Amino acid sequence: MPEIEISQRDSELFSPPSDVRGMTKLDRTAFRKTVTIPVLKVRKEIVNKLIRSLKRAALQRPGIKRVIEDPEDEESRLIMLDPYKMFTDCFEKAELNILKQLNVSPQISKYNLELTYENFKSEEILRAVLPEGQEVTSGFSRVGHIAHLNLRDHQLPFKHLIGQVMIDKNPGITTAVNKINSIDNTYRNFQMEVLSGEENMMTKVRENNYTYEFDFSKVYWNPRLSTEHSRITELLKPGDVLFDVFAGVGPFAIPAAKKNCPVFANDLNPESYKWLLHNCKLNKVDKKVKVFNLDGKDFLQGPLREELMQQLGPLSKERKHSVHIVMNLPAKAIEFLSAFKSLLDGQPCDSEHLPTVHCYCFSKDANPAKDVQQQAEAVLGISLDACSTVHLVRNVAPNKEMLCITFRIPAAILYKNQTLDLENHEDPPPLKRQRTDKAFSEEKTTVA
């Protein structure tokens, strides 16, 4: 029988009672339901040996025991069987042979099994409660003890019930919140509503073996960026210098510092700045990270400029370490690239020592890789064809991608009094992996 058909039948039998449809205040007692299950009576001493041979026929349902006590015989046990297989079919030949060897009668009995709220999965509960045919939310972003949901309009009448179900069905979750506006303010946090559970936004998370503590209602944190944090960290070698322009609470800065990279980390949000300092101490890298509370442009034209003048000065030929600049503010980071224009004085450094920028952005274009490159080129006023790659970070929404464009800043942009020839300027050395539109398209089909 096809898996989809089995799943549909299983859903019909083990779905909650139909009268919970439209429930907006959770009543766990309303989910009681009795179903008839085929069972096989066996002696308790042979249960373990027999159950291995009845994998096909046994009931496979999370939260329901496959073996229960026989209410009429304490020396026997009842093995729960799959009702779709055993009410319509009989045991297969190999199964019958095992039963015969163990002297077990193949006679099947019926057992009335009572299901309760605890036996249903969150998705089954919500599918039964929400209007038929409506999209069901069973996923969320986990931030420590907090379940962060992003509910659709049709789900809002059921928001408190949905929040409580998420808490009930996910161990360790004690607070469920819903985002009620987009991230469009100065400090990159968003308003949220507590749907159910504790009104406690102070949380602790572990990501890539590092610990972060913060007030989730006042800072930006996205657990879906864990892989991207690791990717950038892996690009760094010990001794490389990292400038993190929009550092948040430290998911780029702290792993880099642990890798013995000098880090200059900045965030405009006073709360992010506070927790960045805290997390540097918590992860014992506070001696390796210089922390700033500035606007991104002020950080680029102030501390970053001063440090680059030293890093890329006359002695830069002796340097073996690279300089990386991370700009993770996808809604606006591209605009900040203009701060690199004529940022430095003096004679340009060797091209291999030019800083590498990792700039994050969004695109709704049919060719997002080309789109973000063109966005960056429009701000810088120079072609990046020979010195940039584009990496797909994640799909944010239908037809909306988050990407990272990586490139070495051309000397003609970075230094004052340089002749800028858009056709013939000398490009920085190409990055190791060039991303073509074809390669990007292939990756896009495989990145979740």
Side-chain angles (χ1 to χ4, degrees), residues 321-334:
H321 304 307
S322 301
V323 176
H324 293 261
I325 303 169
V326 171
M327 304 175 69
N328 182 23
L329 185 66
K332 294 183 177 181
I334 288 275

Side-chain angles (χ1 to χ4, degrees), residues 139-150 163 166-167 170-179 190 192-206 212-219 221-224:
F140 55 86
S141 295
R142 182 166 189 158
V143 183
H145 67 280
I146 302 168
H148 172 214
L149 296 94
N150 189 7
M166 293 299 128
I167 292 174
N170 295 278
I173 294 294
T174 58
T175 302
V177 302
N178 181 45
K179 181 171 73 173
F190 45 77
M192 61 181 74
E193 176 187 15
V194 176
L195 303 178
S196 190
E198 307 170 352
E199 295 199 14
N200 175 20
M201 294 293 107
M202 294 294 300
T203 191
K204 176 190 288 189
V205 300
R206 288 279 292 174
Y212 303 91
E213 296 178 342
F214 48 85
D215 184 336
F216 184 50
S217 67
K218 296 180 179 179
V219 304
W221 179 268
N222 189 339
R224 293 188 173 96

Side-chain angles (χ1 to χ4, degrees), residues 236-244 252-265 280 285-292 299 304 307-308 311 319-326:
L236 305 175
K237 298 177 182 178
D240 285 353
V241 180
L242 176 69
F243 294 93
D244 192 351
F252 285 113
I254 287 169
K258 278 287 189 181
K259 208 169 180 178
N260 289 321
C261 295
V263 176
F264 299 78
C280 286
V285 294
D286 49 306
K287 305 299 183 185
K288 299 176 183 177
V289 182
K290 292 185 179 180
V291 180
F292 302 86
F299 174 71
L304 180 140
E307 189 64 25
L308 284 187
Q311 296 283 342
R319 291 181 51 80
K320 295 182 180 179
H321 304 307
S322 301
V323 176
H324 293 261
I325 303 169
V326 171

Side-chain angles (χ1 to χ4, degrees), residues 10-184:
D10 186 68
S11 177
E12 292 169 7
L13 182 66
F14 293 103
S15 60
S18 59
D19 56 4
V20 301
R21 179 81 65 196
M23 179 187 292
T24 56
K25 184 177 180 180
L26 183 60
D27 177 7
R28 296 175 182 84
T29 62
F31 288 83
R32 288 190 181 132
K33 176 181 179 179
T34 300
V35 295
T36 303
I37 300 292
V39 294
L40 180 69
K41 182 174 180 176
V42 301
R43 303 186 307 279
K44 64 180 183 180
E45 61 268 18
I46 65 168
V47 167
N48 292 335
K49 188 173 183 179
L50 182 58
I51 197 70
R52 290 193 293 269
S53 301
L54 295 179
K55 284 185 178 180
R56 182 200 69 86
L59 179 65
Q60 307 285 344
R61 170 74 187 181
I64 297 179
K65 294 180 180 180
R66 286 189 293 175
V67 179
I68 59 173
E69 293 183 358
D70 185 346
E72 299 176 356
D73 183 357
E74 62 180 21
E75 296 300 315
S76 297
R77 296 292 182 265
L78 301 178
I79 296 179
M80 299 271 198
L81 302 176
D82 187 318
Y84 293 117
K85 293 175 182 176
M86 304 314 298
F87 277 155
T88 57
D89 303 317
C90 58
F91 290 109
E92 292 183 347
K93 186 175 181 180
E95 294 166 340
L96 288 170
N97 288 338
I98 293 294
L99 295 178
K100 187 174 182 180
Q101 290 175 22
L102 296 175
N103 197 27
V104 175
S105 169
Q107 182 178 352
I108 294 174
S109 305
K110 294 182 179 180
Y111 178 82
N112 289 330
L113 173 67
E114 183 179 61
L115 302 176
T116 66
Y117 174 80
E118 284 69 30
N119 297 123
F120 298 112
K121 305 170 189 175
S122 59
E123 186 175 349
E124 293 168 335
I125 292 171
L126 298 183
R127 186 178 290 113
V129 168
L130 267 63
E132 197 165 0
Q134 294 278 18
E135 180 187 356
V136 172
T137 294
S138 58
F140 55 86
S141 295
R142 182 166 189 158
V143 183
H145 67 280
I146 302 168
H148 172 214
L149 296 94
N150 189 7
L151 299 181
R152 304 286 186 264
D153 289 344
H154 73 271
Q155 298 162 340
L156 293 178
F158 308 91
K159 61 186 180 181
H160 298 298
L161 180 145
I162 293 173
Q164 188 58 57
V165 171
M166 293 299 128
I167 292 174
D168 290 345
K169 297 300 179 178
N170 295 278
I173 294 294
T174 58
T175 302
V177 302
N178 181 45
K179 181 171 73 173
I180 56 177
N181 72 336
S182 59
I183 303 174
D184 59 358

